[in-house]
Amino acid sequence: MNETKLKQLADSLTVKEKVAQTIQLNGDLLIENDVMNTGPTKELGFSDDFDLSAIGSIYNVNDPQKLYKIQQKIMAESKHKIPLLFMSDVIYGFRTIFPIPLAQAGSYDFELIKEAAQVTAKESYLSGLHVLFSPMLDLSRDPRWGRVMEGPGEDVYTAKEFAKQVVDGYQGDLSGDVVPENHVGACIKHFAGYGAPEAGREYNTVDMSNQRLFNEYLPPYQAAIEANCLLVMTAFNVLNGVPSTGNRWLNRDILRERFGFDGVLVSDYAAIEELQAHGFTKNQKDTARKAMEAGVDFDMMTPVYANSLEALAQEGPEIMSLLDEAVWRILLLKNKLGLFENPYRGLESEATGQVLTEEAKAVATRLVEKSSVLLKNEQVLPLNQQQKIAVVGPYGESKLTIGFWASVSGKPQDSVTLKEGMEQVFKQEKLSFAKGFNLFDSYEGFGPLKEGIEMLNGKIEPEAALYQQALATCADADVIVVTFGEQFLESGEGASKTNLQLPEKQKRLIKGLAALNKPIVGILYTGRPLVLTDIEPYFNSLLLVWYPGTMGGLGIANLLAGKAVPSARLAMTFPRSEGQIPLYYAQNSTGRPAVDSTHSTRFISKYSDETNEPLFSFGHGHSYGTVSGNWQQVTEAETALQFTYQLTNQSDWQLETVVHLYVKIHAASIVQPVKKLVLSEKIVLTAQENKTAKFTLPKAALSYYDNAGVKHAAAGEMTFYLSTVNSEDSLTINL
Ligand code: NOJ
């Protein structure tokens, strides 16, 4: 629709109809047996005469047939025929579920991450969705927080690259000002700082200096905005004393003015109403006013806008014009998606409903291979085809490997189990399996999920019997593979933890198996870094597979067999103990660093009962071969630095090695981290190959912000560290 007509449409709406456009409700709540169901909205506090057919958007309906019927109904019954916008919590895959974002980020294969996002966009488009509530770009350095699984980890550079590729992959080429076929809008979240709740407790207060906000927490969102993401979601948390959802400075001055975001801002679930619970607003009307003033366009799942905006708008021209702005942005988004031309976008194609294609599964398998991190390897991996392999642990045969946030549209039933994967790659007669322990202690307390989980995961069996069976299964094995870790409900939203250790029964089993004195390989399934300090020594090799998604079993089997070679690096630090948290690699030095300090050992920055070091640092990750390297040259051009580096593959494997370039700026008006990642590249080296690699670093990548948000160029002495899979070289220059 051209803008003049769109404007006419906007102008023709009554205030009530405008308000309705700003409402977003969960579709399942709203639609029952294909008819509009007003019961639940009344419970939410909407008034009786609220016209459900005039609302702007629904979310989390993922069935194309259902969406088709809903849209048909809206087009038939609503006065202005404004199509409904369909959004959904598709975070790392629609039906083809990819490894969790925290895993993907560690692949440092940003092209592959984009390919995965394209697959997700296509499956979502073909299922009728218009906008996905992802990528989540909340930097996080606290593994107690359950949602670390949904984001790209602790590092700013990594999160920025991840942001750009996912947004690009979802939205495709927007140069024609429309979202092309097979693509959808990206809604980045949660603006801002949601990944830094105090004490790692979900929904808790966030308080941080402005320099930290500008240097670390805001850049990933900004990178997505520069990649033209069409929507942003606000955050639940208070940021520096003001709830993000009612934060005018954050959402108008920073998001819109400074970052140039002109898309739609949606509140998180009930976050507008919660402004009052935060103690930031007096009543519903005050809440609606503050959220509008902060520029929040969609009210997700609360009656605040619905009940109060009309009166507010009629009372004052200021709110009326803010409402007009919000509605205009919502209509522009619908127009960009081509909904006025075709409200059934994606729902009338020959391929509608097509998911899990061979092509999609191949991308997912590759991403499992590229994002599983080899934490440790004492030459046990890859496994040899002649060995008898005992696979112990519930993840051998479990399909519950897609992680918490995939369950909205994904189906665990689609997953390839480790057993199925291994049977494709190894000789079946060499394999034996035992459950080892129950993944869940009980199925009580899971409400409506109980039946599904029980069906997928099987009966809870006596632990003692499982333990004995496991030992018996290993009796004549040459090598033991143990699967262990968290079950999927232990991470994700609302899953903060203070204890990141493995449960006792898992430790007992691992120790029992290690006592058999056979080579032992651990495969760790988890949504967050765990504290593995006491258990790690029992493994000869340890492969971290996170939640690997639909194709997990096959990708992992390929790695175990050496049909694929590990190359991923940790996107988040594994601490040695919970007491070290937050522990991340890009910390500042202190005036009394633990090493090289002139003070006596008592009066330096350290603990009396633990080292400062993590168990596995950010960037850690082995491969099946080693790579060495040395600096050749650094040249300085006006806007960039060019590094030349010689890499040598010392193995007979073809390796894809992730090269990281870090910098330490020695003196700056804002103290700089001891090390920060500024570049990552993937280099393929054939067996024993020697290669000269060149890396170009824009000088702008070295700049930093002060507490007033002013940008400074870095100058003076700085040290660069070039790190390959197992070596690190430093070089100091003066700029
Ligand atoms: C709350 C979560 O914080 C957000 O990430 C999600 O998109 C919404 N609920 C909608 O389900």
Side-chain angles (χ1 to χ4, degrees):
M1 189 181 282
N2 68 39
E3 275 208 25
T4 319
K5 279 184 90 182
L6 196 66
K7 195 89 198 56
Q8 282 165 1
L9 173 64
D11 290 343
S12 72
L13 302 182
T14 62
V15 180
K16 209 188 241 333
E17 287 162 351
K18 286 178 187 168
V19 172
Q21 278 301 307
T22 68
I23 307 302
Q24 179 175 61
L25 293 170
N26 183 308
D28 275 340
L29 212 159
L30 189 68
I31 286 117
E32 209 176 46
N33 303 326
D34 304 329
V35 295
M36 296 290 185
N37 174 18
T38 50
T41 41
K42 269 191 215 148
E43 270 169 40
L44 278 180
F46 283 78
S47 67
D48 286 351
D49 63 345
F50 185 77
D51 179 8
L52 288 175
S53 73
I55 66 165
S57 171
I58 59 166
Y59 72 96
N60 284 2
V61 176
N62 296 307
D63 172 356
Q65 283 170 357
K66 216 168 174 183
L67 287 174
Y68 197 91
K69 279 194 189 155
I70 295 170
Q71 197 70 295
Q72 255 183 337
K73 211 165 176 54
I74 294 292
M75 296 318 284
E77 289 175 11
S78 73
K79 182 166 136 211
H80 294 279
K81 319 267 171 252
I82 302 176
L84 258 182
L85 189 65
F86 300 142
M87 310 206 201
S88 189
D89 276 305
V90 172
I91 317 291
Y92 46 96
F94 179 78
R95 265 293 283 280
T96 305
I97 304 299
F98 295 95
I100 56 172
L102 185 55
Q104 291 188 29
S107 73
Y108 287 93
D109 193 333
F110 294 110
E111 271 171 39
L112 187 57
I113 290 173
K114 181 170 169 175
E115 260 186 74
Q118 284 164 338
V119 169
T120 300
K122 190 169 175 185
E123 289 191 350
S124 303
Y125 166 85
L126 289 174
S127 301
L129 296 178
H130 307 143
V131 171
L132 309 184
F133 287 140
S134 60
M136 180 183 105
L137 300 173
D138 305 322
L139 200 81
S140 187
R141 279 122 182 223
D142 196 329
R144 292 171 299 183
W145 190 50
R147 296 194 84 168
V148 295
M149 60 167 290
E150 271 181 80
E154 73 181 48
D155 174 58
V156 185
Y157 169 87
T158 313
K160 282 166 66 180
E161 294 304 304
F162 179 85
K164 286 189 248 176
Q165 300 309 328
V166 177
V167 169
D168 258 21
Y170 280 178
Q171 298 192 161
D173 178 4
L174 294 187
S175 56
D177 220 27
V178 286
V179 183
E181 271 183 16
N182 294 324
H183 290 278
V184 289
C187 178
I188 65 162
K189 61 194 191 185
H190 307 82
F191 198 71
Y194 180 47
E198 276 180 3
R201 179 156 53 78
E202 184 67 295
Y203 314 131
N204 203 7
T205 295
V206 175
D207 213 300
M208 65 171 75
S209 65
N210 269 352
Q211 69 82 19
R212 170 154 280 180
L213 194 60
F214 283 112
N215 284 311
E216 296 165 4
Y217 283 79
L218 291 180
Y221 310 115
Q222 188 180 1
I225 290 156
E226 284 166 4
N228 285 321
C229 76
L230 294 173
L231 297 95
V232 172
M233 186 186 287
T234 66
F236 287 127
N237 56 277
V238 165
L239 177 68
N240 297 340
V242 182
S244 295
T245 304
N247 196 325
R248 196 179 175 142
W249 173 80
L250 187 65
N251 297 321
R252 288 204 183 266
D253 300 359
I254 302 300
L255 179 68
R256 296 214 183 268
E257 275 170 40
R258 186 173 172 132
F259 295 166
F261 176 68
D262 59 4
V264 169
L265 182 62
V266 51
S267 79
D268 199 348
Y269 187 111
I272 291 187
E273 196 167 51
E274 288 168 15
L275 292 177
Q276 202 176 332
H278 277 298
F280 183 67
T281 57
K282 298 190 281 267
N283 50 36
Q284 214 176 56
K285 224 167 157 185
D286 189 28
T287 306
R289 173 192 296 282
K290 291 219 168 95
M292 262 286 127
E293 285 172 351
V296 186
D297 302 320
F298 266 122
D299 180 354
M300 188 199 292
M301 287 300 283
T302 89
V304 173
Y305 278 4
N307 293 350
S308 303
L309 266 189
E310 190 184 354
L312 274 173
Q314 265 146 3
E315 277 161 35
E318 193 204 323
I319 297 292
M320 183 68 93
S321 90
L322 294 181
L323 173 63
D324 282 337
E325 264 181 35
V327 172
W328 181 238
R329 283 193 285 261
I330 290 167
L331 293 180
L332 272 179
L333 172 66
K334 293 184 175 183
N335 204 27
K336 264 203 174 107
L337 286 156
L339 292 179
F340 292 105
E341 282 71 32
N342 181 9
Y344 307 103
R345 185 181 195 273
L347 289 168
E348 288 180 328
S349 146
E350 269 182 18
T352 293
Q354 192 180 70
V355 291
L356 290 166
T357 60
E358 288 311 311
E359 193 193 0
K361 289 196 267 185
V363 178
T365 308
R366 263 195 295 145
L367 201 43
V368 175
E369 295 163 0
K370 298 279 167 74
S371 57
S372 300
V373 187
L374 186 59
L375 293 174
K376 175 177 184 181
N377 193 18
E378 292 168 353
Q379 308 309 322
V380 178
L381 289 178
L383 300 174
N384 148 357
Q385 290 284 349
Q386 308 316 320
Q387 287 171 308
K388 282 190 255 163
I389 308 166
V391 184
V392 176
Y395 278 113
E397 298 193 49
S398 176
K399 286 181 180 276
L400 288 174
T401 56
I402 62 175
F404 180 79
W405 262 116
S407 46
V408 174
S409 58
K411 295 201 186 321
Q413 294 89 322
D414 298 331
S415 300
V416 175
T417 63
L418 183 59
K419 183 174 185 209
E420 288 160 351
M422 288 185 79
E423 285 176 348
Q424 286 185 45
V425 175
F426 292 92
K427 295 186 190 112
Q428 276 197 39
E429 66 274 15
K430 300 278 184 191
L431 300 172
S432 52
F433 292 84
K435 186 166 160 185
F437 59 90
N438 296 296
L439 194 50
F440 292 80
D441 287 327
S442 123
Y443 295 134
E444 293 315 312
F446 291 137
L449 294 180
K450 180 179 175 215
E451 227 171 84
I453 298 177
E454 188 162 11
M455 201 181 75
L456 281 164
N457 205 50
K459 274 200 171 52
I460 301 212
E461 295 166 63
E463 296 289 352
L466 291 176
Y467 181 86
Q468 290 310 329
Q469 279 161 22
L471 293 188
T473 304
C474 296
D476 76 332
D478 300 315
V479 59
I480 303 169
V481 173
V482 198
T483 69
F484 66 102
E486 291 190 314
Q487 46 87 348
F488 80 108
L489 291 169
E490 285 180 83
S491 49
E493 186 174 348
S496 291
K497 273 183 174 181
T498 60
N499 177 359
L500 303 181
Q501 311 259 340
L502 292 177
E504 259 328 298
K505 65 180 179 188
Q506 298 198 29
K507 290 189 183 180
R508 191 174 60 237
L509 177 69
I510 292 165
K511 288 177 187 167
L513 295 172
L516 299 175
N517 283 323
K518 301 187 181 206
I520 174 164
V521 178
I523 303 189
L524 172 58
Y525 291 73
T526 179
R528 54 151 63 85
L530 295 174
V531 171
L532 301 172
T533 312
D534 59 346
I535 209 71
E536 172 272 331
Y538 291 92
F539 295 107
N540 297 101
S541 298
L542 190 52
L543 184 68
L544 165 66
V545 299
W546 302 104
Y547 285 118
T550 310
M551 298 308 289
L554 185 58
I556 298 166
N558 286 341
L559 287 167
L560 294 179
K563 286 182 75 177
V565 180
S567 57
R569 290 173 162 236
L570 280 181
M572 195 166 179
T573 298
F574 273 52
R576 294 183 62 84
S577 113
E578 291 88 345
Q580 296 174 309
I581 297 170
L583 182 64
Y584 51 97
Y585 85 96
Q587 295 203 331
N588 290 343
S589 175
T590 74
R592 296 178 173 208
V595 280
D596 300 335
S597 174
T598 50
H599 294 276
S600 70
T601 50
R602 183 178 181 99
F603 299 108
I604 56 174
S605 177
K606 65 167 175 50
Y607 302 101
S608 58
D609 58 351
E610 185 53 275
T611 73
N612 289 1
E613 300 308 309
L615 183 64
F616 299 116
S617 168
F618 169 86
H620 175 83
H622 292 283
S623 186
Y624 291 157
T626 57
V627 175
S628 64
N630 44 61
W631 294 103
Q632 301 288 295
Q633 211 187 1
V634 186
T635 50
E636 187 185 342
E638 204 178 318
T639 58
L641 295 170
Q642 194 168 62
F643 301 88
T644 314
Y645 197 78
Q646 185 76 28
L647 291 161
T648 308
N649 179 358
Q650 293 166 322
S651 75
D652 291 331
W653 293 92
Q654 159 145 330
L655 298 178
E656 246 186 64
T657 188
V658 176
V659 177
H660 276 177
L661 182 69
Y662 296 87
V663 71
K664 156 80 184 162
I665 297 162
H666 291 263
S669 57
I670 289 291
V671 168
Q672 295 294 298
V674 287
K675 228 169 125 186
K676 78 177 174 198
L677 184 64
V678 285
L679 196 73
S680 166
E681 300 242 342
K682 274 213 135 176
I683 313 252
V684 179
L685 296 164
T686 54
Q688 305 292 341
E689 190 185 8
N690 239 306
K691 199 179 220 170
T692 305
K694 284 191 186 335
F695 310 102
T696 305
L697 180 72
K699 284 186 186 164
L702 300 169
S703 55
Y704 58 88
Y705 295 94
D706 63 21
N707 273 310
V710 177
K711 199 175 190 171
H712 297 264
E717 199 177 45
M718 52 191 78
T719 302
F720 288 92
Y721 302 87
L722 205 133
S723 115
T724 65
V725 59
N726 57 302
S727 72
E728 184 168 274
D729 259 354
S730 68
L731 177 85
T732 300
I733 64 165
N734 234 307
L735 200 68

